[in-house]
Amino acid sequence: TVNEPTEESPEATAGQDAQAEETAQADDDKETKSKTSFFGKKKKDNKLEQQVEELTDRLKRSMAEFDNFRKRTEKEKSSMYVIGAKDIIEKMLPVVDNFERGLAQAPEGDPFADGMQKIYKQLITTMEGMGVEPIEAVGKEFNPDFHNAVMHVEDESVGENIIVEELQKGYTYKGFVVRHSMVKVAN
């Protein structure tokens, strides 16, 4: 038998057209959804990347702030140690001054004075070991950072602003002045 072309009814043709149209519409919807999801995904990816960048930036800033805090506290801790040590040294200096005054008045050859001299040397050696040093004054040029001028004298034999006498010894602790030297300066 030979297949003959059959004539379909207009209703059947309209049904096929409607079905073809629905299939085409479904394909268009899928393509639109595909494009939308692609662009929507890109938007999500951009948002996520932005959030990652923001969080990374916040983390870096927090780490830098913590590092600065750590350095600042270490510096404060060491400066507090220096301040505490300077305070103790400052309170010991009158004892050193009294030792020096007493030894200056002691008669030579006195065994008691010799014993006191040895104790004085031990005290000075211990202080030097801690970083305490006397400020050089006599014969040096006056420096207000280290010296406190309490007297002026007219003396042509020495230069101007030269210290001619030290009235009270000054000391430094690790480069910081604990007590200024009280001096007499030539004009």
PDB file of all heavy atoms in Angstrom, residues 151-166:
ATOM      1  N   MET A 151      75.213  79.115  89.716  1.00  0.00           N
ATOM      2  CA  MET A 151      76.079  80.268  89.976  1.00  0.00           C
ATOM      3  C   MET A 151      76.840  80.617  88.702  1.00  0.00           C
ATOM      4  O   MET A 151      77.141  79.748  87.885  1.00  0.00           O
ATOM      5  CB  MET A 151      77.098  79.946  91.083  1.00  0.00           C
ATOM      6  CG  MET A 151      76.474  79.680  92.433  1.00  0.00           C
ATOM      7  SD  MET A 151      77.714  79.233  93.661  1.00  0.00           S
ATOM      8  CE  MET A 151      78.479  80.798  93.954  1.00  0.00           C
ATOM      9  N   HIS A 152      77.151  81.918  88.579  1.00  0.00           N
ATOM     10  CA  HIS A 152      77.991  82.406  87.483  1.00  0.00           C
ATOM     11  C   HIS A 152      79.173  83.133  88.107  1.00  0.00           C
ATOM     12  O   HIS A 152      79.048  83.773  89.147  1.00  0.00           O
ATOM     13  CB  HIS A 152      77.219  83.371  86.580  1.00  0.00           C
ATOM     14  CG  HIS A 152      76.148  82.704  85.767  1.00  0.00           C
ATOM     15  ND1 HIS A 152      76.412  82.047  84.611  1.00  0.00           N
ATOM     16  CD2 HIS A 152      74.807  82.604  85.958  1.00  0.00           C
ATOM     17  CE1 HIS A 152      75.285  81.562  84.114  1.00  0.00           C
ATOM     18  NE2 HIS A 152      74.292  81.896  84.933  1.00  0.00           N
ATOM     19  N   VAL A 153      80.305  83.021  87.443  1.00  0.00           N
ATOM     20  CA  VAL A 153      81.495  83.685  87.940  1.00  0.00           C
ATOM     21  C   VAL A 153      82.232  84.316  86.755  1.00  0.00           C
ATOM     22  O   VAL A 153      82.227  83.778  85.653  1.00  0.00           O
ATOM     23  CB  VAL A 153      82.417  82.690  88.706  1.00  0.00           C
ATOM     24  CG1 VAL A 153      82.967  81.634  87.780  1.00  0.00           C
ATOM     25  CG2 VAL A 153      83.533  83.397  89.438  1.00  0.00           C
ATOM     26  N   GLU A 154      82.802  85.491  86.997  1.00  0.00           N
ATOM     27  CA  GLU A 154      83.612  86.148  85.964  1.00  0.00           C
ATOM     28  C   GLU A 154      85.028  85.608  86.097  1.00  0.00           C
ATOM     29  O   GLU A 154      85.681  85.796  87.120  1.00  0.00           O
ATOM     30  CB  GLU A 154      83.606  87.671  86.159  1.00  0.00           C
ATOM     31  CG  GLU A 154      82.254  88.323  86.000  1.00  0.00           C
ATOM     32  CD  GLU A 154      81.719  88.267  84.583  1.00  0.00           C
ATOM     33  OE1 GLU A 154      82.529  88.262  83.626  1.00  0.00           O
ATOM     34  OE2 GLU A 154      80.486  88.183  84.425  1.00  0.00           O
ATOM     35  N   ASP A 155      85.497  84.905  85.069  1.00  0.00           N
ATOM     36  CA  ASP A 155      86.845  84.326  85.101  1.00  0.00           C
ATOM     37  C   ASP A 155      87.411  84.394  83.691  1.00  0.00           C
ATOM     38  O   ASP A 155      86.944  83.731  82.788  1.00  0.00           O
ATOM     39  CB  ASP A 155      86.785  82.881  85.608  1.00  0.00           C
ATOM     40  CG  ASP A 155      88.145  82.325  85.940  1.00  0.00           C
ATOM     41  OD1 ASP A 155      89.163  82.961  85.586  1.00  0.00           O
ATOM     42  OD2 ASP A 155      88.188  81.240  86.558  1.00  0.00           O
ATOM     43  N   GLU A 156      88.440  85.218  83.549  1.00  0.00           N
ATOM     44  CA  GLU A 156      89.065  85.426  82.243  1.00  0.00           C
ATOM     45  C   GLU A 156      89.948  84.243  81.845  1.00  0.00           C
ATOM     46  O   GLU A 156      90.250  84.058  80.678  1.00  0.00           O
ATOM     47  CB  GLU A 156      89.913  86.713  82.268  1.00  0.00           C
ATOM     48  CG  GLU A 156      89.117  87.970  82.560  1.00  0.00           C
ATOM     49  CD  GLU A 156      88.159  88.332  81.440  1.00  0.00           C
ATOM     50  OE1 GLU A 156      88.482  88.075  80.259  1.00  0.00           O
ATOM     51  OE2 GLU A 156      87.061  88.842  81.745  1.00  0.00           O
ATOM     52  N   SER A 157      90.381  83.433  82.813  1.00  0.00           N
ATOM     53  CA  SER A 157      91.315  82.341  82.522  1.00  0.00           C
ATOM     54  C   SER A 157      90.646  81.153  81.822  1.00  0.00           C
ATOM     55  O   SER A 157      91.323  80.341  81.210  1.00  0.00           O
ATOM     56  CB  SER A 157      91.994  81.866  83.808  1.00  0.00           C
ATOM     57  OG  SER A 157      91.032  81.323  84.691  1.00  0.00           O
ATOM     58  N   VAL A 158      89.334  81.053  81.921  1.00  0.00           N
ATOM     59  CA  VAL A 158      88.615  79.978  81.226  1.00  0.00           C
ATOM     60  C   VAL A 158      87.689  80.588  80.182  1.00  0.00           C
ATOM     61  O   VAL A 158      87.336  81.756  80.264  1.00  0.00           O
ATOM     62  CB  VAL A 158      87.788  79.103  82.208  1.00  0.00           C
ATOM     63  CG1 VAL A 158      88.698  78.290  83.095  1.00  0.00           C
ATOM     64  CG2 VAL A 158      86.827  79.921  83.008  1.00  0.00           C
ATOM     65  N   GLY A 159      87.280  79.803  79.246  1.00  0.00           N
ATOM     66  CA  GLY A 159      86.402  80.290  78.187  1.00  0.00           C
ATOM     67  C   GLY A 159      84.991  80.547  78.687  1.00  0.00           C
ATOM     68  O   GLY A 159      84.627  80.227  79.823  1.00  0.00           O
ATOM     69  N   GLU A 160      84.210  81.120  77.798  1.00  0.00           N
ATOM     70  CA  GLU A 160      82.820  81.427  78.134  1.00  0.00           C
ATOM     71  C   GLU A 160      81.989  80.146  78.133  1.00  0.00           C
ATOM     72  O   GLU A 160      82.195  79.256  77.317  1.00  0.00           O
ATOM     73  CB  GLU A 160      82.261  82.414  77.099  1.00  0.00           C
ATOM     74  CG  GLU A 160      80.953  83.022  77.515  1.00  0.00           C
ATOM     75  CD  GLU A 160      80.511  84.135  76.574  1.00  0.00           C
ATOM     76  OE1 GLU A 160      81.374  84.899  76.107  1.00  0.00           O
ATOM     77  OE2 GLU A 160      79.307  84.206  76.317  1.00  0.00           O
ATOM     78  N   ASN A 161      81.048  80.063  79.073  1.00  0.00           N
ATOM     79  CA  ASN A 161      80.155  78.911  79.239  1.00  0.00           C
ATOM     80  C   ASN A 161      80.890  77.618  79.597  1.00  0.00           C
ATOM     81  O   ASN A 161      80.422  76.534  79.290  1.00  0.00           O
ATOM     82  CB  ASN A 161      79.292  78.681  77.995  1.00  0.00           C
ATOM     83  CG  ASN A 161      78.099  79.601  77.950  1.00  0.00           C
ATOM     84  OD1 ASN A 161      77.669  80.125  78.968  1.00  0.00           O
ATOM     85  ND2 ASN A 161      77.572  79.802  76.760  1.00  0.00           N
ATOM     86  N   ILE A 162      82.032  77.735  80.257  1.00  0.00           N
ATOM     87  CA  ILE A 162      82.775  76.558  80.722  1.00  0.00           C
ATOM     88  C   ILE A 162      82.470  76.378  82.208  1.00  0.00           C
ATOM     89  O   ILE A 162      82.446  77.328  82.986  1.00  0.00           O
ATOM     90  CB  ILE A 162      84.294  76.720  80.502  1.00  0.00           C
ATOM     91  CG1 ILE A 162      84.604  76.910  79.010  1.00  0.00           C
ATOM     92  CG2 ILE A 162      85.063  75.540  81.063  1.00  0.00           C
ATOM     93  CD1 ILE A 162      84.213  75.738  78.131  1.00  0.00           C
ATOM     94  N   ILE A 163      82.262  75.144  82.611  1.00  0.00           N
ATOM     95  CA  ILE A 163      81.949  74.838  84.009  1.00  0.00           C
ATOM     96  C   ILE A 163      83.249  74.844  84.811  1.00  0.00           C
ATOM     97  O   ILE A 163      84.205  74.153  84.467  1.00  0.00           O
ATOM     98  CB  ILE A 163      81.251  73.472  84.119  1.00  0.00           C
ATOM     99  CG1 ILE A 163      79.921  73.523  83.345  1.00  0.00           C
ATOM    100  CG2 ILE A 163      81.028  73.073  85.569  1.00  0.00           C
ATOM    101  CD1 ILE A 163      79.253  72.193  83.156  1.00  0.00           C
ATOM    102  N   VAL A 164      83.266  75.656  85.880  1.00  0.00           N
ATOM    103  CA  VAL A 164      84.476  75.761  86.702  1.00  0.00           C
ATOM    104  C   VAL A 164      84.368  74.962  87.995  1.00  0.00           C
ATOM    105  O   VAL A 164      85.393  74.624  88.597  1.00  0.00           O
ATOM    106  CB  VAL A 164      84.822  77.233  87.018  1.00  0.00           C
ATOM    107  CG1 VAL A 164      85.242  77.966  85.744  1.00  0.00           C
ATOM    108  CG2 VAL A 164      83.673  77.952  87.685  1.00  0.00           C
ATOM    109  N   GLU A 165      83.136  74.667  88.437  1.00  0.00           N
ATOM    110  CA  GLU A 165      82.983  73.913  89.679  1.00  0.00           C
ATOM    111  C   GLU A 165      81.669  73.131  89.650  1.00  0.00           C
ATOM    112  O   GLU A 165      80.659  73.607  89.152  1.00  0.00           O
ATOM    113  CB  GLU A 165      82.977  74.876  90.872  1.00  0.00           C
ATOM    114  CG  GLU A 165      82.970  74.192  92.212  1.00  0.00           C
ATOM    115  CD  GLU A 165      82.991  75.192  93.371  1.00  0.00           C
ATOM    116  OE1 GLU A 165      83.261  76.395  93.160  1.00  0.00           O
ATOM    117  OE2 GLU A 165      82.693  74.748  94.485  1.00  0.00           O
ATOM    118  N   GLU A 166      81.729  71.923  90.222  1.00  0.00           N
ATOM    119  CA  GLU A 166      80.530  71.094  90.334  1.00  0.00           C
ATOM    120  C   GLU A 166      80.109  71.084  91.797  1.00  0.00           C
ATOM    121  O   GLU A 166      80.858  70.654  92.662  1.00  0.00           O
ATOM    122  CB  GLU A 166      80.825  69.667  89.847  1.00  0.00           C
ATOM    123  CG  GLU A 166      79.639  68.744  89.864  1.00  0.00           C
ATOM    124  CD  GLU A 166      79.976  67.371  89.317  1.00  0.00           C
ATOM    125  OE1 GLU A 166      80.984  66.777  89.750  1.00  0.00           O
ATOM    126  OE2 GLU A 166      79.227  66.902  88.454  1.00  0.00           O
TER     127      GLU A 166
END
